[in-house]
Amino acid sequence: MTGTLYGVGLGPGDPELMTVKAARLISEASVIAYHCARHGRSIARSVAEPYLREGQIEEKLVYPVTTETTDHPGGYEGAIADFYELSAKRLAEHLDAGRDVVLLCEGDPFFYGSYMYMHERLSGRFEAVVVPGVTSVSAASSVLGRPLVQRDEVLTVLPGTLPAPELARRLADTDAAAVLKLGRTFGSVREAFEEAGKLDDAVFVERATWEQQRVEPLGSVDPASVPYFSLALLPSPAYASRVSPAPAGSPAPASGGEVVVVGLGPAGPEWLTPEAASELSAAEHVVGYGPYVARVPQKAGQQRHASGNRVEADRAREALELAAGGARVAVVSSGDPGVFAMASAVLEQVSAGHGAGVRVRIVPGVTAAQAAASRVGAPLGHDYCVLSLSDRLKPWEIIEKRLDAAAAADLVLALYNPASRSRTTQLASAREVLLRHRAPATPAVVARDVGGPEEDIRITTLGDLDPSTVDMRCLLIVGSSKTRAENGVVWTPRSY
């Protein structure tokens, strides 16, 4: 009979914060395993020491390298992979012999813990039980005496190893945060908090619940003094606002702010107009669909409000409410905000009575149709029509009627939203409608992710267009009877 592998969470460092189950398993196990550095000392073992007993086998899993030092041909990653394989083999020998093995883990085994590497190598062969532990994040919150989050607030847990710009973006997008794995990453982590405009609210916590614990404002910490066992905490902003009221005599919030609806263009910063970039830089709040908000360069102190793809009205109201309090708000759209995007959504909410006294301006952007056309020549060189094939906001009967009319008028068509996971038949139906009036040899362009890393431009014909190759990230251009395609170039003459 084989033994059982236990991944036992020890909590943040105080032995009294270990669970009763963890203490029992440690005292009962035949084998106690723990990771340690080459000097042989183990923080995990020191935490578990009150519960160890005489006669237990101890397996030291000694890390062979640091990230800077290795002669392994596969570099650090290759060396550490070999180390985990060898460690798993050593533990498997005990398990095959029928001995239960407890692998000690600081914090929680599945929360950035090293236990997971043994679990993935051994759980398919042996019974594996994970015993959760109090995480360093919970411990830091408790020693600080501040809640992490409350009510509808969002907590984001991040590794400090992320690039500073990405870390800043994520910090700006969340209410509360915990950034782990500091040590050598501290400089870039501090930079990210400052870039996100949240450095003044962040706290540094070192060795929470230990006798040597340290709690300081993040901005005042000496980077040279930061160990790996520390984290940066951005606690509940709602709690902070309640316990730190505005000083007497503080001015009341202003009213009559501004909403600027900004077009980002179809892809990266090279498609952004100088006017749009200036408005984004001046905004105090950025509101929009998550992937579009992520494209906005981070600015210190600027707050970001990302949301899903189908809540345009909610986004518009949120922006108007922020502006009604005196804020300068940018609402972002891909392409041009006036083309199947947020400009109409914002103005519709203004018409419904939201945002009284708020000024609304629209800043144009390069449209997806313009970007796609530029990649192949000038298919929009004469009269053209822009249509969305999405029937989420209008019935398919209306779309079909408009397609038929545009095709009969011999207009070039730029077709937005041609397909999605839930809309798989509309494009085939649209193609049949167009073929009533257009020859199968009519040039057609399928443009996917224009300006992005997965850009793919295909020139085909209306007759050969395969709807199964088109998704939501595509824009289609279907030529008129005069549109030509020669040598990879598509254009529509200006004379008719």
Side-chain angles (χ1 to χ4, degrees):
M1 184 176 179
T2 58
T4 300
L5 173 66
Y6 293 95
V8 175
L10 302 175
D14 182 349
E16 292 185 346
L17 289 177
M18 197 183 307
T19 65
V20 173
K21 184 172 184 178
R24 176 178 60 80
L25 289 172
I26 291 169
S27 65
E28 293 176 352
S30 302
V31 180
I32 301 296
Y34 46 86
H35 294 87
C36 63
R38 280 174 287 189
H39 51 56
R41 296 185 299 274
S42 167
I43 293 173
R45 189 193 183 284
S46 67
V47 176
E49 188 170 11
Y51 307 101
L52 299 177
R53 58 176 173 78
E54 291 285 339
Q56 287 177 306
I57 301 170
E58 295 192 21
E59 280 285 358
K60 292 184 179 181
L61 308 179
V62 181
Y63 286 113
V65 293
T66 68
T67 54
E68 298 93 353
T69 308
T70 178
D71 296 325
H72 194 284
Y76 174 77
E77 293 298 329
I80 205 70
D82 286 352
F83 162 68
Y84 285 133
E85 289 295 336
L86 178 61
S87 297
K89 183 178 179 181
R90 288 171 58 187
L91 299 187
E93 291 174 356
H94 291 295
L95 295 167
D96 278 327
R99 293 187 284 270
D100 290 342
V101 176
V102 162
L103 180 53
L104 305 176
C105 314
E106 298 97 335
D108 182 272
F110 278 164
F111 188 75
Y112 294 118
S114 53
Y115 165 76
M116 63 186 70
Y117 302 108
M118 295 298 97
H119 188 86
E120 66 185 14
R121 287 168 170 80
L122 296 172
S123 61
R125 296 167 51 195
F126 306 99
E127 182 180 1
V129 177
V130 177
V131 180
V134 176
T135 69
S136 58
V137 176
S138 298
S141 174
S142 69
V143 301
L144 184 61
R146 295 269 301 276
L148 288 170
V149 280
Q150 51 192 325
R151 303 190 66 177
D152 295 330
E153 290 176 338
V154 174
L155 170 67
T156 303
V157 178
L158 299 161
T161 50
L162 286 176
E166 174 68 7
L167 201 55
R169 180 185 72 79
R170 292 175 181 264
L171 287 169
D173 283 346
T174 192
D175 300 308
V179 182
L180 287 73
K181 302 185 178 184
L182 297 187
R184 288 166 302 181
T185 71
F186 182 79
S188 64
V189 169
R190 186 189 184 284
E191 176 188 336
F193 272 94
E194 187 170 20
E195 187 69 16
K198 297 187 175 182
L199 181 60
D200 292 343
D201 301 318
V203 182
F204 171 82
V205 182
E206 175 187 333
R207 295 184 170 92
T209 76
W210 297 24
E211 289 184 3
Q212 312 97 309
Q213 76 178 22
R214 176 166 60 131
V215 179
E216 291 184 29
L218 188 69
S220 66
V221 174
D222 177 7
S225 70
V226 176
Y228 182 82
F229 284 98
S230 58
L231 57 84
L233 195 66
L234 186 68
S236 166
Y239 181 85
S241 66
R242 287 202 300 273
V243 299
S244 303
S250 296
S255 60
E258 182 180 50
V259 169
V260 184
V261 192
V262 179
L264 301 177
E270 66 273 16
W271 297 89
L272 190 68
T273 68
E275 181 187 17
S278 176
E279 294 293 349
L280 293 173
S281 178
E284 298 169 272
H285 299 264
V286 176
V287 176
Y289 175 41
Y292 302 157
V293 171
R295 285 168 47 187
V296 177
Q298 186 64 57
K299 174 197 167 188
Q302 191 177 70
Q303 297 185 46
R304 299 150 80 91
H305 309 263
S307 52
N309 194 28
R310 295 196 174 190
V311 290
E312 293 94 341
D314 293 343
R315 270 201 294 274
R317 286 192 294 271
E318 180 181 21
L320 291 166
E321 288 169 5
L322 290 168
R328 190 167 184 174
V329 184
V331 176
V332 294
S333 284
S334 180
D336 183 278
V339 180
F340 306 121
M342 284 302 299
S344 292
V346 170
L347 294 174
E348 185 176 357
Q349 294 305 311
V350 171
S351 178
H354 298 279
V358 172
R359 183 186 180 198
V360 176
R361 292 189 293 116
I362 314 299
V363 175
V366 177
T367 71
Q370 292 168 331
S374 72
R375 290 298 200 238
V376 297
L380 307 181
H382 203 278
D383 298 339
Y384 69 94
C385 174
V386 176
L387 283 170
S388 170
L389 295 190
S390 173
D391 56 0
R392 188 169 67 87
L393 298 175
K394 61 181 182 292
W396 176 253
E397 292 76 14
I398 295 295
I399 298 173
E400 187 170 3
K401 184 182 296 185
R402 292 175 179 176
L403 280 169
D404 188 76
D410 201 23
L411 296 170
V412 177
L413 290 101
L415 302 178
Y416 283 66
N417 307 314
S420 70
R421 291 181 182 179
S422 60
R423 294 185 296 103
T424 58
T425 62
Q426 283 86 339
L427 180 55
S429 299
R431 176 176 172 275
E432 294 304 316
V433 172
L434 297 178
L435 284 170
R436 297 174 193 166
H437 306 279
R438 304 282 165 91
T442 300
V445 178
V446 181
R448 186 176 192 277
D449 192 33
V450 177
E454 299 179 11
E455 179 176 305
D456 180 43
I457 310 295
R458 290 178 285 126
I459 299 173
T460 182
T461 65
L462 183 59
D464 290 338
L465 176 64
D466 181 1
S468 68
T469 64
V470 177
D471 60 25
M472 193 65 177
R473 299 177 67 186
C474 293
L475 180 131
L476 305 183
I477 297 177
V478 179
S480 71
S481 63
K482 303 297 183 181
T483 303
R484 304 175 189 177
E486 297 176 359
N487 300 319
V489 178
V490 182
W491 84 100
T492 302
R494 294 178 63 194
S495 60
Y496 192 87

